[in-house]
Amino acid sequence: MVEQDTSNIFIEVQVFNRKLHMLLNSVLFLLLSNAVTLRRDMSILYSRITMIIFIFSSMLALQISIYSLSIGIGLFGGLFHITTTSHTFQIFMFIITIIILQLTGFYPRKVWIDKYSSLYKLLFFRLTYLKTNIINKMAEQYRIIEYPLILLFIITGAVFLISSSDIVSIFLSIELQSYGLYLLSTIYRNSELATSAGLTYFLLGGLSSCIILLGTSLLYANSGTTSLDGYYIIISISDMIDNLSDNVLYWYKANYINFSLLIMSIGFLFKVSAAPFHFWSPDVYDAIPTIVTTFVAIIAKISIFVFLLELVHYTSNSYFALNFNWTYSLLVSCFLSLIIGTILGLNQFRIKRLFAFSTISHLGFILLAISINSFESIQAFIFYLMQYSISNLNVFILLLAIGYSLYLYTNEEEEYQNLLDKNNSPIQLTSQIKGYFYINPMLALSLAITIFSFVGIPPLIGFFAKQMVLSAALDSGFIFLTLTAILTSVISAVYYLNIIKQVFFDISEYNLNTDFDNLLRRSLNKNLEKENRRITYKIKDIVLSSTLSITISVLTLIILLFIISPSETLSLASIIALIMFNT
């Protein structure tokens, strides 16, 4: 039995090292490649290469989870601790990143002519586009070769943070992730709004890093160890020591550790934009390009919350009653996030600011689940974090897809003509999607399904997530916070349903661009081997690319059809929660 366990540990360490080397070597080679290339229009190839890297990393992480021990193992002298929880969320982050990279790894539009779209003609005949703006080849996201490299840096930091078990590795990991996010926010050099937002993000993110550093410094100064396992032991025995003797060293009192963890938690709440440290996120989300917002709004939160999950679990269960516990700060932040995210979202007319406040409101549910620290709450937390990441990803991809589809239309309203940075964020105002149902019914229905999931309308996946969190809160006696969460969910439905009303019931202000008639006659050639003739096509033949359509369809079906096969996701959450409570 011992030999089998030793063999499993050896395999797990070996596979983890391969995954780590895969990420670091990929960063190195992409960095060297970026330095020597003269073709900035090759960014689309870099994105595809990075997608392959993450697919391979996901396979390695899955291989680790197969051989994983329930208790996990420590690596690099205790700096990292890999567990089933870290494996699961690493794979989840890789998948989310692969989906986001599709936005820059493939062109958003294509020309689809039924008559010339048979398999034989697609394989043996060639289409030549004379106007690249139809498929958006000249968009700025396809000329930024550093974008995939920065994503690799961020994901590497996120992987390290999820597995961190030492305050040194925690600080290094969060900074590696944060520096990449700062750079990503300002990567569009020609956008004044993005540069300003990135600078704001950097300054306030630096402040939160200082708070985290202060908390970790106090932890080390008061305990003499940097290992999280040491803090778990000290918290468990400190009250007993205090009761047995008055001559014990003063720094072993539990409240010292609690106040240090409280200070560190403030820095992490700053990073995830939970109230009352939320004030930077609406401005930053609104100003940076939508493609960047999609990544910044999702990945950073997953890694930090998974780290907080294990930190809360192992520090809030003391064997002896404490007068104060640092997790109370998470409950306060939960209450404020529910209130502020709901109330301030009511008067928003810029759509990404509205979704920023929506995120703050949903963070209240996540913080409520993570603070309770029961088996049911951990299961609810894992499920809520996964489903909300998928829903949030889908809604931002839908915003981009709507912007791409409106390329064929014009709107003469002066308000829309004066919008800044329209090329990078085509949909900025909620009024821009008025009557969109009459332009593209399928995208409008996908948007409606996702928004209804945010509201928590059954039988969509968002309803079950909220129900699980509220049930766990009621079982643990958090009646006031449960009532607050229910009330704010009802109120937040106002600004969600306002979007639905504008999409389906308002009159569209868009008209087809008549200038395309001349453009379409000369934009596409069909060169045949035996025939030489020009093929013309219509506006309706310009459609969204297959990658966008398939991605939106799959994510929407996951949200819509969860009730048909819920067992896999719920079983995964239950297994992870059981493993945490049995170790």
Side-chain angles (χ1 to χ4, degrees):
M1 185 68 179
V2 174
E3 291 181 358
Q4 184 179 2
D5 290 344
T6 305
S7 176
N8 286 341
I9 292 173
F10 176 76
I11 293 173
E12 192 169 358
V13 172
Q14 190 178 34
V15 177
F16 180 83
N17 286 333
R18 269 190 277 166
K19 180 177 70 173
L20 181 60
H21 291 155
M22 177 69 185
L23 288 174
L24 295 180
N25 289 335
S26 302
V27 168
L28 177 61
F29 286 122
L30 278 181
L31 185 61
L32 293 174
S33 180
N34 284 344
V36 299
T37 185
L38 298 177
R39 294 281 305 276
R40 298 198 66 83
D41 58 340
M42 300 293 287
S43 174
I44 191 169
L45 298 181
Y46 283 95
S47 294
R48 293 176 182 178
I49 292 170
T50 309
M51 289 171 63
I52 295 173
I53 292 169
F54 284 122
I55 291 172
F56 188 66
S57 299
S58 301
M59 294 171 62
L60 288 176
L62 183 61
Q63 186 178 355
I64 296 176
S65 63
I66 293 174
Y67 294 105
S68 175
L69 301 176
S70 61
I71 59 174
I73 58 171
L75 296 174
F76 305 114
L79 289 177
F80 301 100
H81 185 217
I82 55 175
T83 62
T84 303
T85 305
S86 63
H87 297 161
T88 303
F89 280 99
Q90 284 169 11
I91 295 172
F92 182 69
M93 279 198 309
F94 291 149
I95 294 173
I96 293 292
T97 307
I98 291 168
I99 296 173
I100 294 174
L101 277 168
Q102 290 186 41
L103 301 175
T104 54
F106 300 93
Y107 297 120
R109 289 184 289 264
K110 67 179 180 182
V111 177
W112 184 264
I113 308 172
D114 292 337
K115 183 179 178 181
Y116 299 100
S117 299
S118 64
L119 181 61
Y120 173 77
K121 291 185 177 181
L122 286 175
L123 291 176
F124 294 101
F125 296 108
R126 181 167 55 91
L127 297 177
T128 304
Y129 293 90
L130 301 180
K131 292 291 183 181
T132 57
N133 57 350
I134 288 178
I135 55 174
N136 210 35
K137 277 188 176 181
M138 303 308 294
E140 190 168 358
Q141 66 263 32
Y142 302 113
R143 293 180 291 169
I144 303 177
I145 58 175
E146 300 88 358
Y147 177 79
L149 175 64
I150 295 175
L151 259 61
L152 270 172
F153 273 109
I154 297 171
I155 293 299
T156 304
V159 167
F160 287 165
L161 180 61
I162 289 176
S163 303
S164 292
S165 61
D166 192 281
I167 59 174
V168 175
S169 60
I170 289 170
F171 186 74
L172 293 177
S173 300
I174 192 66
E175 287 306 287
L176 178 59
Q177 174 181 288
S178 298
Y179 287 152
L181 292 172
Y182 306 151
L183 291 174
L184 194 64
S185 300
T186 57
I187 198 170
Y188 285 68
R189 302 182 183 93
N190 298 326
S191 172
E192 181 180 348
L193 289 176
T195 304
S196 174
L199 182 60
T200 302
Y201 191 13
F202 168 70
L203 294 175
L204 295 178
L207 174 62
S208 63
S209 297
C210 291
I211 296 173
I212 293 174
L213 183 61
L214 174 61
T216 54
S217 301
L218 290 175
L219 283 174
Y220 176 70
N222 294 326
S223 63
T225 180
T226 61
S227 173
L228 294 183
D229 292 334
Y231 305 137
Y232 304 155
I233 295 172
I234 291 173
I235 287 178
S236 298
I237 67 173
S238 55
D239 264 18
M240 180 178 66
I241 294 176
D242 289 342
N243 293 332
L244 292 177
S245 173
D246 294 330
N247 299 322
V248 192
L249 293 177
Y250 187 61
W251 55 69
Y252 278 161
K253 290 190 175 180
N255 283 343
Y256 258 49
I257 304 295
N258 271 305
F259 280 117
S260 301
L261 290 172
L262 171 63
I263 294 172
M264 191 168 71
S265 69
I266 291 174
F268 283 110
L269 292 174
F270 222 119
K271 295 284 187 185
V272 298
S273 71
F277 314 105
H278 65 283
F279 44 84
W280 60 270
S281 63
D283 294 330
V284 172
Y285 287 10
D286 186 47
I288 59 181
T290 306
I291 288 178
V292 177
T293 308
T294 305
F295 189 84
V296 172
I298 299 173
I299 296 298
K301 292 178 175 54
I302 295 175
S303 59
I304 292 175
F305 275 123
V306 174
F307 165 74
L308 285 177
L309 171 65
E310 297 197 7
L311 188 64
V312 169
H313 178 66
Y314 292 113
T315 58
S316 61
N317 287 337
S318 175
Y319 291 114
F320 298 90
L322 299 176
N323 296 325
F324 166 77
N325 196 301
W326 72 277
T327 55
Y328 296 161
S329 64
L330 301 182
L331 291 173
V332 173
S333 180
C334 159
F335 175 74
L336 294 176
S337 296
L338 290 170
I339 298 296
I340 292 174
T342 300
I343 301 302
L344 296 186
L346 292 173
N347 62 348
Q348 299 301 318
F349 61 92
R350 297 187 66 87
I351 195 161
K352 285 196 290 183
R353 286 182 64 88
L354 187 150
F355 283 127
F357 283 108
S358 165
T359 298
I360 294 169
S361 177
H362 284 278
L363 290 179
F365 281 89
I366 296 175
L367 289 171
L368 177 59
I370 205 174
S371 303
I372 297 171
N373 192 35
S374 64
F375 171 77
E376 292 79 7
S377 69
I378 290 180
Q379 181 183 7
F381 163 80
I382 294 169
F383 179 66
Y384 199 105
L385 184 60
M386 285 187 169
Q387 69 84 24
Y388 184 69
S389 298
I390 292 172
S391 300
N392 217 19
L393 175 63
N394 195 37
V395 80
F396 280 114
I397 294 178
L398 281 166
L399 285 183
L400 287 166
I402 291 171
Y404 292 141
S405 66
L406 292 178
Y407 165 75
L408 305 173
Y409 297 83
T410 58
N411 194 321
E412 302 301 328
E413 293 290 331
E414 184 178 355
E415 181 183 20
Y416 306 146
Q417 298 296 327
N418 296 330
L419 288 175
L420 299 176
D421 210 16
K422 289 189 293 185
N423 292 331
N424 297 324
S425 297
I427 303 299
Q428 299 181 26
L429 308 176
T430 56
S431 58
Q432 285 182 270
I433 54 177
K434 284 182 179 179
Y436 186 75
F437 175 75
Y438 302 101
I439 296 175
N440 192 323
M442 297 307 296
L443 280 184
L445 286 173
S446 296
L447 180 63
I449 290 170
T450 308
I451 289 177
F452 282 140
S453 180
F454 284 156
V455 177
I457 293 178
L460 303 177
I461 192 171
F463 165 78
F464 296 100
K466 288 187 175 182
Q467 185 267 337
M468 289 174 68
V469 173
L470 295 177
S471 176
L474 280 177
D475 290 343
S476 300
F478 292 90
I479 298 176
F480 175 72
L481 283 176
T482 302
L483 293 176
T484 303
I486 294 173
L487 181 62
T488 52
S489 291
V490 174
I491 296 174
S492 66
V494 174
Y495 57 75
Y496 286 130
L497 295 179
N498 180 56
I499 297 177
I500 302 297
K501 176 252 183 186
Q502 289 182 320
V503 171
F504 288 88
F505 300 104
D506 286 357
I507 299 174
S508 175
E509 299 174 346
Y510 291 96
N511 298 305
L512 278 174
N513 190 349
T514 56
D515 294 337
F516 276 104
D517 291 338
N518 295 326
L519 173 64
L520 296 181
R521 290 191 179 95
R522 62 177 186 271
S523 60
L524 179 64
N525 282 337
K526 180 86 171 180
N527 297 320
L528 308 179
E529 292 181 354
K530 296 182 179 180
E531 299 179 86
N532 187 11
R533 58 176 177 166
R534 185 181 297 272
I535 304 301
T536 59
Y537 57 99
K538 301 177 182 179
I539 286 180
K540 67 178 183 179
D541 296 325
I542 302 176
V543 296
L544 292 176
S545 66
S546 300
T547 53
L548 268 180
S549 302
I550 293 173
T551 300
I552 292 172
S553 300
V554 170
L555 293 177
T556 305
L557 288 175
I558 291 173
I559 296 170
L560 178 63
L561 302 179
F562 168 78
I563 192 173
I564 295 178
S565 180
S567 58
E568 291 80 6
T569 308
L570 294 177
S571 297
L572 176 64
S574 299
I575 290 170
I576 295 175
L578 280 171
I579 289 174
M580 292 191 68
F581 269 87
N582 289 332
T583 56

